[in-house]
Amino acid sequence: MTALLTRALEKRANLWSQMQEIQARAESENRDALTAEERESWDRMEADLTATSQDIERMERSARMDAVQRDQAIVTTGGNPEGGENREADQDAAYRDAFGRFLRRGMTVLSNDQRELMLANHSEIRAQATSPGSAGGYFIPTDTLNKITETLKVYGGLLSEVNVITTASGNPLNWPTNDDTANVGAILTENSQVTEQDITLGQKDLGAYTYTSKMIRASLALLQDSAFDTEGFIARKLGERIGRAIAAHLATGTGTNQPEGLFTNATAGVTGAAGQVTSVTYDDLIDLQHSVDPAYRGTAKWATSDSGLKVVRKLKDEQGRPLWEPSVQAGVPSTLLGAPVVIDNGIPAPAASAASIGYGDLRAAYVARQVAGGQMMRLEERYADYLQVGFLGFLRFDGVPDDGAAFRTYEHPAA
Protein backbone atom coordinates (compact mmCIF):
# COMPACT_ATOMS: atom_id res chain seq x y z
CA MET A 1 0.00 0.00 0.00
CA THR A 2 1.42 3.38 -0.99
CA ALA A 3 1.95 6.18 1.49
CA LEU A 4 -0.49 8.31 -0.49
CA LEU A 5 -3.25 5.71 -0.14
CA THR A 6 -2.50 5.31 3.57
CA ARG A 7 -2.83 9.05 4.12
CA ALA A 8 -6.09 9.14 2.17
CA LEU A 9 -7.55 6.34 4.30
CA GLU A 10 -6.48 8.12 7.48
CA LYS A 11 -7.98 11.37 6.20
CA ARG A 12 -11.31 9.68 5.47
CA ALA A 13 -11.40 8.09 8.92
CA ASN A 14 -10.57 11.44 10.55
CA LEU A 15 -13.26 13.29 8.57
CA TRP A 16 -15.85 10.68 9.48
CA SER A 17 -14.89 10.89 13.16
CA GLN A 18 -15.24 14.69 13.16
CA MET A 19 -18.67 14.48 11.52
CA GLN A 20 -19.84 12.04 14.18
CA GLU A 21 -18.54 14.35 16.91
CA ILE A 22 -20.69 17.20 15.54
CA GLN A 23 -23.75 14.97 15.58
CA ALA A 24 -22.98 13.59 19.05
CA ARG A 25 -22.57 17.11 20.45
CA ALA A 26 -25.97 18.17 19.12
CA GLU A 27 -27.60 15.05 20.59
CA SER A 28 -25.92 15.48 23.99
CA GLU A 29 -27.28 19.04 24.15
CA ASN A 30 -30.74 17.72 23.19
CA ARG A 31 -30.94 20.00 20.16
CA ASP A 32 -33.30 19.32 17.26
CA ALA A 33 -30.89 20.61 14.62
CA LEU A 34 -27.31 21.61 14.00
CA THR A 35 -26.25 25.23 14.38
CA ALA A 36 -25.47 27.21 11.23
CA GLU A 37 -21.74 26.88 11.97
CA GLU A 38 -22.03 23.13 12.57
CA ARG A 39 -24.06 22.66 9.38
CA GLU A 40 -21.47 24.56 7.39
CA SER A 41 -18.69 22.41 8.86
CA TRP A 42 -20.68 19.22 8.24
CA ASP A 43 -21.37 20.11 4.59
CA ARG A 44 -17.73 21.01 3.99
CA MET A 45 -16.47 17.77 5.56
CA GLU A 46 -19.07 15.68 3.73
CA ALA A 47 -17.91 17.09 0.38
CA ASP A 48 -14.31 16.41 1.38
CA LEU A 49 -15.24 12.87 2.49
CA THR A 50 -16.87 12.16 -0.88
CA ALA A 51 -13.85 13.46 -2.79
CA THR A 52 -11.45 11.49 -0.59
CA SER A 53 -13.47 8.30 -1.03
CA GLN A 54 -13.32 8.74 -4.81
CA ASP A 55 -9.56 9.29 -4.60
CA ILE A 56 -9.21 6.06 -2.59
CA GLU A 57 -11.21 4.12 -5.17
CA ARG A 58 -9.03 5.49 -7.98
CA MET A 59 -5.80 4.66 -6.16
CA GLU A 60 -6.94 1.13 -5.31
CA ARG A 61 -8.04 0.62 -8.92
CA SER A 62 -4.67 1.87 -10.17
CA ALA A 63 -2.82 -0.41 -7.75
CA ARG A 64 -4.75 -3.45 -8.95
CA MET A 65 -4.13 -2.59 -12.59
CA ASP A 66 -0.43 -1.98 -11.94
CA ALA A 67 -0.13 -5.33 -10.16
CA VAL A 68 -1.55 -7.09 -13.22
CA GLN A 69 0.80 -5.27 -15.58
CA ARG A 70 3.78 -6.47 -13.54
CA ASP A 71 2.52 -10.04 -13.45
CA GLN A 72 4.41 -11.68 -16.28
CA ALA A 73 3.99 -15.25 -14.98
CA ILE A 74 3.38 -17.87 -17.64
CA VAL A 75 0.91 -20.60 -16.72
CA THR A 76 2.09 -23.96 -18.02
CA THR A 77 0.42 -27.34 -18.16
CA GLY A 78 2.95 -29.02 -15.89
CA GLY A 79 6.49 -30.30 -16.27
CA ASN A 80 7.83 -33.43 -17.85
CA PRO A 81 11.24 -35.10 -17.74
CA GLU A 82 12.07 -33.97 -21.29
CA GLY A 83 11.81 -30.28 -20.51
CA GLY A 84 8.36 -29.72 -22.03
CA GLU A 85 7.53 -27.06 -19.46
CA ASN A 86 10.55 -25.00 -20.39
CA ARG A 87 9.79 -25.36 -24.09
CA GLU A 88 6.24 -24.13 -23.54
CA ALA A 89 7.49 -21.17 -21.51
CA ASP A 90 9.99 -20.36 -24.26
CA GLN A 91 7.23 -20.54 -26.88
CA ASP A 92 5.03 -18.16 -24.89
CA ALA A 93 7.91 -15.74 -24.45
CA ALA A 94 8.72 -15.94 -28.16
CA TYR A 95 5.08 -15.22 -29.08
CA ARG A 96 4.95 -12.27 -26.70
CA ASP A 97 8.03 -10.83 -28.36
CA ALA A 98 6.65 -11.45 -31.87
CA PHE A 99 3.29 -9.90 -30.91
CA GLY A 100 5.01 -6.83 -29.49
CA ARG A 101 7.04 -6.33 -32.67
CA PHE A 102 3.93 -6.90 -34.78
CA LEU A 103 2.02 -4.31 -32.76
CA ARG A 104 4.76 -1.71 -33.19
CA ARG A 105 5.88 -2.33 -36.77
CA GLY A 106 3.62 -4.86 -38.47
CA MET A 107 4.27 -8.25 -40.05
CA THR A 108 6.95 -7.11 -42.49
CA VAL A 109 9.65 -6.69 -39.82
CA LEU A 110 9.13 -10.14 -38.31
CA SER A 111 11.47 -13.03 -38.92
CA ASN A 112 10.17 -16.13 -40.67
CA ASP A 113 9.87 -17.93 -37.33
CA GLN A 114 7.97 -15.01 -35.81
CA ARG A 115 5.59 -14.89 -38.79
CA GLU A 116 4.90 -18.58 -38.32
CA LEU A 117 4.15 -17.99 -34.65
CA MET A 118 1.74 -15.18 -35.48
CA LEU A 119 -0.02 -17.15 -38.19
CA ALA A 120 -0.38 -20.10 -35.82
CA ASN A 121 -2.27 -17.80 -33.45
CA HIS A 122 -4.53 -16.23 -36.06
CA SER A 123 -8.26 -16.84 -35.95
CA GLU A 124 -11.38 -15.68 -37.71
CA ILE A 125 -13.60 -13.26 -35.86
CA ARG A 126 -17.01 -14.86 -35.44
CA ALA A 127 -19.95 -12.71 -34.42
CA GLN A 128 -21.82 -15.71 -33.00
CA ALA A 129 -21.04 -19.34 -32.42
CA THR A 130 -22.02 -20.55 -35.88
CA SER A 131 -21.87 -17.39 -38.00
CA PRO A 132 -18.62 -17.20 -39.99
CA GLY A 133 -16.85 -13.86 -40.26
CA SER A 134 -14.77 -12.44 -43.08
CA ALA A 135 -12.01 -10.86 -40.99
CA GLY A 136 -9.55 -12.23 -38.49
CA GLY A 137 -7.25 -11.18 -35.67
CA TYR A 138 -4.26 -12.44 -33.71
CA PHE A 139 -4.81 -13.87 -30.27
CA ILE A 140 -3.51 -11.55 -27.58
CA PRO A 141 -0.66 -13.08 -25.50
CA THR A 142 -1.65 -14.46 -22.11
CA ASP A 143 -0.08 -11.71 -20.01
CA THR A 144 -1.49 -8.94 -22.21
CA LEU A 145 -4.94 -10.51 -22.16
CA ASN A 146 -4.75 -10.60 -18.36
CA LYS A 147 -4.24 -6.84 -18.44
CA ILE A 148 -7.43 -6.44 -20.41
CA THR A 149 -9.41 -8.85 -18.24
CA GLU A 150 -8.29 -7.18 -15.02
CA THR A 151 -9.17 -3.77 -16.41
CA LEU A 152 -12.71 -5.02 -16.95
CA LYS A 153 -12.91 -6.23 -13.38
CA VAL A 154 -11.71 -3.05 -11.73
CA TYR A 155 -13.92 -0.88 -13.91
CA GLY A 156 -17.25 -2.58 -13.25
CA GLY A 157 -17.72 -3.54 -9.61
CA LEU A 158 -20.30 -6.25 -10.38
CA LEU A 159 -17.94 -8.14 -12.68
CA SER A 160 -15.59 -8.70 -9.74
CA GLU A 161 -18.39 -10.23 -7.66
CA VAL A 162 -20.57 -12.39 -9.92
CA ASN A 163 -19.81 -15.95 -10.99
CA VAL A 164 -17.62 -15.70 -14.12
CA ILE A 165 -16.86 -18.86 -16.09
CA THR A 166 -14.37 -19.03 -18.95
CA THR A 167 -14.90 -21.33 -21.92
CA ALA A 168 -12.57 -22.26 -24.75
CA SER A 169 -15.17 -21.69 -27.47
CA GLY A 170 -18.24 -19.55 -28.00
CA ASN A 171 -20.75 -22.32 -28.70
CA PRO A 172 -24.14 -21.88 -26.99
CA LEU A 173 -23.84 -23.04 -23.39
CA ASN A 174 -26.73 -24.58 -21.48
CA TRP A 175 -26.49 -23.64 -17.81
CA PRO A 176 -28.66 -25.88 -15.55
CA THR A 177 -30.69 -24.38 -12.70
CA ASN A 178 -32.68 -25.91 -9.84
CA ASP A 179 -35.01 -24.61 -7.14
CA ASP A 180 -35.65 -27.41 -4.63
CA THR A 181 -36.56 -25.20 -1.68
CA ALA A 182 -40.22 -26.30 -1.65
CA ASN A 183 -39.25 -29.95 -1.18
CA VAL A 184 -38.49 -31.36 2.26
CA GLY A 185 -37.62 -34.75 3.64
CA ALA A 186 -39.91 -36.81 5.89
CA ILE A 187 -39.90 -39.26 8.77
CA LEU A 188 -39.95 -42.83 7.54
CA THR A 189 -42.14 -45.17 9.57
CA GLU A 190 -41.10 -48.75 10.04
CA ASN A 191 -41.74 -51.14 7.13
CA SER A 192 -42.99 -48.35 4.85
CA GLN A 193 -41.78 -47.44 1.39
CA VAL A 194 -39.82 -44.26 0.76
CA THR A 195 -41.79 -41.77 -1.33
CA GLU A 196 -40.34 -40.17 -4.43
CA GLN A 197 -39.76 -36.51 -5.12
CA ASP A 198 -38.03 -35.75 -8.41
CA ILE A 199 -35.60 -32.90 -8.89
CA THR A 200 -36.75 -30.41 -11.50
CA LEU A 201 -33.99 -28.79 -13.52
CA GLY A 202 -34.34 -25.55 -15.45
CA GLN A 203 -31.98 -24.13 -18.04
CA LYS A 204 -30.32 -20.82 -18.86
CA ASP A 205 -28.74 -20.24 -22.25
CA LEU A 206 -25.40 -18.43 -22.44
CA GLY A 207 -24.21 -17.18 -25.81
CA ALA A 208 -21.13 -15.12 -26.62
CA TYR A 209 -21.75 -11.57 -27.78
CA THR A 210 -18.77 -9.97 -29.49
CA TYR A 211 -17.73 -6.77 -27.73
CA THR A 212 -15.43 -4.42 -29.60
CA SER A 213 -13.27 -1.59 -28.35
CA LYS A 214 -14.00 0.39 -31.52
CA MET A 215 -11.00 1.71 -33.42
CA ILE A 216 -7.92 3.08 -31.68
CA ARG A 217 -5.43 4.98 -33.83
CA ALA A 218 -1.79 5.32 -32.80
CA SER A 219 0.91 7.35 -34.54
CA LEU A 220 3.93 5.60 -35.99
CA ALA A 221 6.14 7.81 -33.83
CA LEU A 222 4.45 6.49 -30.69
CA LEU A 223 4.71 2.88 -31.85
CA GLN A 224 8.38 3.22 -32.69
CA ASP A 225 9.27 4.74 -29.32
CA SER A 226 10.75 1.74 -27.52
CA ALA A 227 10.87 3.63 -24.22
CA PHE A 228 7.07 3.74 -24.09
CA ASP A 229 5.00 0.74 -22.97
CA THR A 230 2.89 0.74 -26.10
CA GLU A 231 1.54 -2.78 -25.61
CA GLY A 232 0.37 -2.00 -22.06
CA PHE A 233 -1.11 1.36 -23.02
CA ILE A 234 -3.14 0.03 -25.95
CA ALA A 235 -4.27 -3.02 -23.93
CA ARG A 236 -5.58 -0.71 -21.19
CA LYS A 237 -7.49 1.45 -23.67
CA LEU A 238 -9.08 -1.60 -25.30
CA GLY A 239 -9.99 -3.04 -21.91
CA GLU A 240 -11.47 0.19 -20.58
CA ARG A 241 -13.73 0.63 -23.60
CA ILE A 242 -14.97 -2.94 -23.60
CA GLY A 243 -15.31 -2.79 -19.82
CA ARG A 244 -17.62 0.21 -19.93
CA ALA A 245 -19.91 -1.55 -22.40
CA ILE A 246 -19.99 -4.77 -20.40
CA ALA A 247 -20.55 -2.96 -17.08
CA ALA A 248 -23.73 -1.30 -18.33
CA HIS A 249 -25.15 -4.55 -19.70
CA LEU A 250 -24.16 -6.53 -16.61
CA ALA A 251 -26.41 -4.29 -14.54
CA THR A 252 -29.31 -3.43 -16.86
CA GLY A 253 -28.87 -5.27 -20.17
CA THR A 254 -32.16 -6.08 -21.88
CA GLY A 255 -31.35 -9.69 -22.79
CA THR A 256 -32.19 -8.99 -26.44
CA ASN A 257 -29.03 -8.95 -28.57
CA GLN A 258 -27.09 -8.29 -25.36
CA PRO A 259 -26.70 -9.90 -21.91
CA GLU A 260 -29.61 -9.70 -19.48
CA GLY A 261 -28.60 -7.53 -16.53
CA LEU A 262 -28.71 -8.48 -12.87
CA PHE A 263 -31.18 -5.64 -12.11
CA THR A 264 -33.27 -5.90 -15.29
CA ASN A 265 -35.89 -8.42 -14.15
CA ALA A 266 -34.85 -8.89 -10.52
CA THR A 267 -37.63 -9.29 -7.95
CA ALA A 268 -38.26 -6.17 -5.89
CA GLY A 269 -37.85 -7.02 -2.22
CA VAL A 270 -39.10 -3.59 -1.17
CA THR A 271 -40.85 -0.73 -2.94
CA GLY A 272 -40.49 2.71 -1.42
CA ALA A 273 -43.46 4.62 -0.07
CA ALA A 274 -45.10 7.36 -2.14
CA GLY A 275 -42.79 10.33 -2.48
CA GLN A 276 -39.54 8.37 -2.11
CA VAL A 277 -38.62 8.78 -5.79
CA THR A 278 -34.98 9.54 -4.94
CA SER A 279 -34.74 8.41 -1.32
CA VAL A 280 -34.69 5.30 0.85
CA THR A 281 -35.29 4.82 4.58
CA TYR A 282 -33.56 2.81 7.28
CA ASP A 283 -36.62 0.56 7.56
CA ASP A 284 -36.56 -0.02 3.79
CA LEU A 285 -33.00 -1.33 3.95
CA ILE A 286 -33.80 -3.60 6.89
CA ASP A 287 -36.80 -4.97 4.99
CA LEU A 288 -34.67 -5.45 1.88
CA GLN A 289 -32.13 -7.50 3.83
CA HIS A 290 -34.86 -9.72 5.22
CA SER A 291 -36.49 -10.18 1.82
CA VAL A 292 -33.50 -12.42 1.00
CA ASP A 293 -33.56 -15.88 2.54
CA PRO A 294 -31.08 -16.32 5.44
CA ALA A 295 -29.39 -19.07 3.43
CA TYR A 296 -27.89 -16.35 1.20
CA ARG A 297 -27.29 -13.61 3.76
CA GLY A 298 -24.02 -15.00 5.10
CA THR A 299 -22.27 -14.04 1.86
CA ALA A 300 -24.61 -11.24 0.76
CA LYS A 301 -23.46 -7.81 -0.41
CA TRP A 302 -25.10 -4.53 -1.32
CA ALA A 303 -24.85 -3.26 -4.88
CA THR A 304 -25.55 0.33 -5.89
CA SER A 305 -24.20 3.24 -7.90
CA ASP A 306 -22.13 6.07 -6.49
CA SER A 307 -25.22 8.30 -6.48
CA GLY A 308 -27.13 5.56 -4.65
CA LEU A 309 -24.37 5.39 -2.05
CA LYS A 310 -24.62 9.15 -1.57
CA VAL A 311 -28.28 8.71 -0.54
CA VAL A 312 -27.52 5.78 1.77
CA ARG A 313 -24.63 7.53 3.50
CA LYS A 314 -27.05 10.05 5.02
CA LEU A 315 -29.16 7.41 6.76
CA LYS A 316 -28.99 6.65 10.49
CA ASP A 317 -30.41 3.90 12.66
CA GLU A 318 -32.87 4.38 15.53
CA GLN A 319 -30.03 5.39 17.88
CA GLY A 320 -28.78 8.01 15.42
CA ARG A 321 -25.76 5.98 14.29
CA PRO A 322 -24.84 6.10 10.57
CA LEU A 323 -25.72 2.94 8.66
CA TRP A 324 -22.72 3.32 6.35
CA GLU A 325 -19.31 2.57 7.84
CA PRO A 326 -16.37 3.75 5.71
CA SER A 327 -13.43 1.38 5.41
CA VAL A 328 -10.14 2.52 6.92
CA GLN A 329 -8.13 -0.37 5.44
CA ALA A 330 -6.99 -0.68 1.82
CA GLY A 331 -8.75 -3.41 -0.11
CA VAL A 332 -11.52 -3.76 2.47
CA PRO A 333 -14.91 -2.47 1.26
CA SER A 334 -17.05 -0.08 3.26
CA THR A 335 -20.08 -1.71 4.91
CA LEU A 336 -23.79 -0.99 5.21
CA LEU A 337 -25.71 -2.70 8.02
CA GLY A 338 -22.78 -5.10 8.38
CA ALA A 339 -22.55 -6.16 4.71
CA PRO A 340 -19.96 -5.02 2.12
CA VAL A 341 -20.99 -2.42 -0.47
CA VAL A 342 -20.19 -2.93 -4.17
CA ILE A 343 -20.22 0.23 -6.29
CA ASP A 344 -20.99 -0.03 -10.01
CA ASN A 345 -22.16 2.99 -11.97
CA GLY A 346 -23.94 0.75 -14.45
CA ILE A 347 -26.63 0.32 -11.76
CA PRO A 348 -29.49 2.86 -12.11
CA ALA A 349 -29.27 6.04 -10.07
CA PRO A 350 -32.13 6.79 -7.63
CA ALA A 351 -35.15 7.90 -9.70
CA ALA A 352 -38.87 7.27 -10.10
CA SER A 353 -39.58 3.55 -10.68
CA ALA A 354 -35.84 2.74 -10.74
CA ALA A 355 -34.30 -0.20 -8.87
CA SER A 356 -31.27 1.60 -7.48
CA ILE A 357 -30.12 -0.72 -4.66
CA GLY A 358 -29.66 -4.47 -4.66
CA TYR A 359 -28.84 -6.95 -1.91
CA GLY A 360 -27.96 -10.61 -1.99
CA ASP A 361 -25.40 -13.27 -2.84
CA LEU A 362 -24.08 -11.86 -6.12
CA ARG A 363 -22.17 -15.00 -7.11
CA ALA A 364 -25.28 -17.13 -6.74
CA ALA A 365 -27.52 -14.54 -8.38
CA TYR A 366 -25.66 -14.06 -11.65
CA VAL A 367 -23.47 -16.09 -14.00
CA ALA A 368 -21.29 -14.50 -16.69
CA ARG A 369 -19.54 -16.34 -19.50
CA GLN A 370 -16.33 -15.11 -21.13
CA VAL A 371 -14.72 -16.84 -24.11
CA ALA A 372 -10.98 -17.30 -23.60
CA GLY A 373 -8.70 -15.57 -26.07
CA GLY A 374 -9.30 -11.90 -26.70
CA GLN A 375 -8.15 -10.78 -30.14
CA MET A 376 -6.55 -7.71 -31.61
CA MET A 377 -6.37 -6.52 -35.23
CA ARG A 378 -3.74 -4.15 -36.64
CA LEU A 379 -4.84 -2.05 -39.64
CA GLU A 380 -1.77 -0.63 -41.37
CA GLU A 381 -2.97 0.61 -44.73
CA ARG A 382 -6.23 2.26 -43.70
CA TYR A 383 -4.55 5.23 -41.98
CA ALA A 384 -1.18 5.15 -43.73
CA ASP A 385 -1.64 8.66 -45.17
CA TYR A 386 -1.96 9.95 -41.57
CA LEU A 387 1.18 8.04 -40.52
CA GLN A 388 -1.04 6.15 -38.11
CA VAL A 389 -1.96 2.54 -37.42
CA GLY A 390 -5.41 1.38 -36.33
CA PHE A 391 -6.02 -1.20 -33.58
CA LEU A 392 -9.22 -3.06 -32.85
CA GLY A 393 -9.92 -5.32 -29.87
CA PHE A 394 -12.57 -8.04 -29.49
CA LEU A 395 -13.81 -9.99 -26.48
CA ARG A 396 -16.77 -12.38 -26.40
CA PHE A 397 -19.03 -12.28 -23.36
CA ASP A 398 -22.54 -13.03 -22.12
CA GLY A 399 -24.34 -13.12 -18.79
CA VAL A 400 -27.72 -14.05 -17.31
CA PRO A 401 -29.35 -13.97 -13.86
CA ASP A 402 -28.92 -17.37 -12.23
CA ASP A 403 -30.55 -18.01 -8.84
CA GLY A 404 -33.40 -15.53 -8.58
CA ALA A 405 -33.93 -16.22 -4.88
CA ALA A 406 -30.44 -14.99 -4.04
CA PHE A 407 -30.99 -11.33 -4.91
CA ARG A 408 -33.61 -8.63 -4.30
CA THR A 409 -33.83 -4.93 -5.13
CA TYR A 410 -35.14 -1.72 -3.63
CA GLU A 411 -37.46 -0.04 -6.14
CA HIS A 412 -38.44 3.62 -5.93
CA PRO A 413 -42.14 4.46 -6.38
CA ALA A 414 -43.38 6.01 -9.61
CA ALA A 415 -44.35 9.24 -7.85
Side-chain angles (χ1 to χ4, degrees), residues 164-210:
V164 180
I165 58 174
T166 303
T167 60
S169 69
N171 295 329
L173 179 66
N174 297 327
W175 185 259
T177 63
N178 168 246
D179 182 357
D180 200 50
T181 55
N183 301 323
V184 297
I187 294 176
L188 183 65
T189 58
E190 189 175 357
N191 298 322
S192 63
Q193 185 180 19
V194 175
T195 57
E196 295 183 8
Q197 181 65 66
D198 290 338
I199 294 176
T200 302
L201 293 177
Q203 180 176 293
K204 298 277 187 176
D205 295 323
L206 284 164
Y209 296 105
T210 300

Side-chain angles (χ1 to χ4, degrees), residues 71-336:
D71 181 12
Q72 301 298 319
I74 299 171
V75 179
T76 63
T77 56
N80 63 56
E82 299 181 359
E85 180 177 344
N86 292 333
R87 281 200 301 273
E88 186 172 344
D90 290 343
Q91 273 192 327
D92 286 346
Y95 182 64
R96 275 203 315 275
D97 181 59
F99 187 88
R101 294 191 68 187
F102 157 75
L103 188 147
R104 290 178 183 273
R105 298 179 181 273
M107 290 289 283
T108 57
V109 302
L110 303 185
S111 67
N112 289 335
D113 288 343
Q114 287 176 324
R115 286 197 190 95
E116 290 297 323
L117 272 176
M118 293 297 293
L119 290 173
N121 286 276
H122 181 273
S123 174
E124 285 186 349
I125 300 295
R126 297 179 182 271
Q128 295 296 335
T130 58
S131 302
S134 59
Y138 295 97
F139 286 120
I140 301 171
T142 300
D143 59 326
T144 307
L145 179 60
N146 284 343
K147 294 175 188 176
I148 292 180
T149 302
E150 193 65 22
T151 302
L152 298 182
K153 288 183 178 178
V154 298
Y155 182 81
L158 286 176
L159 190 58
S160 301
E161 303 295 339
V162 300
N163 181 21
V164 180
I165 58 174
T166 303
T167 60
S169 69
N171 295 329
L173 179 66
N174 297 327
W175 185 259
T177 63
N178 168 246
D179 182 357
D180 200 50
T181 55
N183 301 323
V184 297
I187 294 176
L188 183 65
T189 58
E190 189 175 357
N191 298 322
S192 63
Q193 185 180 19
V194 175
T195 57
E196 295 183 8
Q197 181 65 66
D198 290 338
I199 294 176
T200 302
L201 293 177
Q203 180 176 293
K204 298 277 187 176
D205 295 323
L206 284 164
Y209 296 105
T210 300
Y211 282 84
T212 173
S213 61
K214 298 184 179 179
M215 190 70 69
I216 289 178
R217 289 199 275 174
S219 70
L220 289 174
L222 174 67
L223 295 173
Q224 292 168 2
D225 186 355
S226 60
F228 189 77
D229 180 19
T230 308
E231 297 94 323
F233 173 75
I234 291 178
R236 284 196 300 274
K237 296 304 106 180
L238 299 181
E240 287 170 3
R241 291 183 177 191
I242 295 173
R244 292 185 188 108
I246 289 178
H249 292 161
L250 203 66
T252 59
T254 63
T256 301
N257 298 322
Q258 61 183 241
E260 181 183 336
L262 174 62
F263 280 70
T264 303
N265 294 306
T267 301
V270 177
T271 299
Q276 292 181 197
V277 291
T278 58
S279 64
V280 61
T281 67
Y282 167 63
D283 288 347
D284 289 334
L285 295 182
I286 293 292
D287 289 341
L288 181 56
Q289 277 193 316
H290 286 269
S291 70
V292 175
D293 192 278
Y296 301 103
R297 293 211 296 265
T299 52
K301 298 182 180 182
W302 300 94
T304 189
S305 64
D306 189 62
S307 56
L309 178 63
K310 182 178 180 180
V311 171
V312 167
R313 273 180 42 195
K314 300 175 182 179
L315 298 178
K316 300 175 179 62
D317 65 16
E318 295 170 344
Q319 282 73 47
R321 296 170 299 189
L323 305 185
W324 181 72
E325 297 180 25
S327 170
V328 294
Q329 184 177 347
V332 176
S334 301
T335 61
L336 173 65

